Amino acid sequence: QVQLVESGGGLVQPGESLRLSCAASGSIFRIDAMGWYRQAPGKQRDLVARISIRGATTYADSVKGRFTISADNAKNTVYLQMNSLKPDDTAVYYCHAAITSARFIKSSYWGRGTHLTVFS
């Protein structure tokens, strides 16, 4: 099986920056795409940013120009650099991965989440 472990969440003030990390491990042949989703209290889980195996990136309108997603393929790790943080960014951030296993089985995986609180 595959496991995703997020890290880097915390408590920050508006305008500050934070970097989230997500490391994938297990039976992995290829990581087809990885992304970050977030869920604020009382709201559904929404896409924040995604990066495909080809390097194409997608961002939610609310984070464009402030957040940057990147990947270190050698470490099977994806990052989310978050700048100019706002109180509305407060949420649990979840890592997601679309993975092809060594047996060429495609599956989706979720991390357990990491908390970000931006207080004013």
Side-chain angles (χ1 to χ4, degrees):
Q1 295 296 319
V2 174
Q3 292 183 341
L4 304 178
V5 180
E6 305 103 329
S7 62
L11 181 66
V12 300
Q13 294 181 322
E16 294 184 340
S17 298
L18 208 63
R19 187 194 193 200
L20 304 182
S21 299
C22 175
S25 62
S27 181
I28 301 172
F29 173 75
R30 181 181 65 241
I31 299 178
D32 300 307
M34 295 187 75
W36 290 94
Y37 293 71
R38 68 186 181 187
Q39 186 168 20
K43 298 182 179 180
Q44 68 178 14
R45 187 177 301 184
D46 294 323
L47 174 70
V48 177
R50 190 174 191 266
I51 184 168
S52 74
I53 189 173
R54 303 176 69 178
T57 57
T58 301
Y59 295 93
D61 289 340
S62 59
V63 306
K64 288 181 179 177
R66 299 189 298 121
F67 291 11
T68 302
I69 189 169
S70 61
D72 184 336
N73 294 330
K75 297 181 179 180
N76 286 337
T77 301
V78 66
Y79 306 94
L80 185 67
Q81 178 66 44
M82 304 181 292
N83 299 327
S84 301
L85 285 164
K86 305 175 180 179
D88 286 347
D89 295 320
T90 296
V92 178
Y93 284 72
Y94 296 91
C95 179
H96 174 266
I99 292 175
T100 297
S101 73
R103 297 182 178 181
F104 284 84
I105 299 174
K106 296 183 177 181
S107 301
S108 294
Y109 296 90
W110 290 95
R112 296 181 62 182
T114 184
H115 291 255
L116 170 66
T117 300
V118 185
F119 63 92
S120 59

